[in-house]
Amino acid sequence: MTQECESLAKCGFFKKYQTTKDLACKGFILQYCSGPKMNDCARKKYRQEHGTPPSDDMMPSGQMIVV
Ligand code: SF4
């Protein structure tokens, strides 16, 4: 059974990085967006606390992607 985060379609991080070749990002997507840690996602917590989504560059771990 494939599970995925209910926010996938509107998540800025996922939209921006779903096709990335970056292994760390891919790992987060596998672990969080379509994996067992989706309820631990820092982006979800941020949105719940602030009422607005975080920067697209905030990873599910809460760290920012610096390019
Ligand atoms: S980053 Fe978080 S909110 Fe966005 S799709 Fe992945 S698990 Fe869901």
Side-chain angles (χ1 to χ4, degrees):
M1 190 184 92
T2 308
Q3 53 178 357
E4 61 182 39
C5 172
E6 73 284 353
S7 303
L8 206 68
K10 56 181 183 204
C11 178
F13 168 82
F14 184 76
K15 280 190 204 164
K16 187 167 175 181
Y17 293 106
Q18 59 181 321
T19 56
T20 184
K21 301 215 177 351
D22 184 275
L23 285 179
C25 274
K26 275 184 186 242
F28 280 127
I29 289 171
L30 279 173
Q31 283 288 310
Y32 287 86
C33 311
S34 59
K37 292 175 83 173
M38 64 177 66
N39 291 324
D40 296 330
C41 178
R43 297 183 55 87
K44 277 188 200 174
K45 290 188 187 129
Y46 184 100
R47 191 164 41 217
Q48 280 160 8
E49 281 167 21
H50 297 85
T52 53
S55 159
D56 292 349
D57 296 321
M58 182 197 267
M59 295 187 278
S61 64
Q63 293 159 302
M64 298 299 278
I65 293 172
V66 185
V67 270

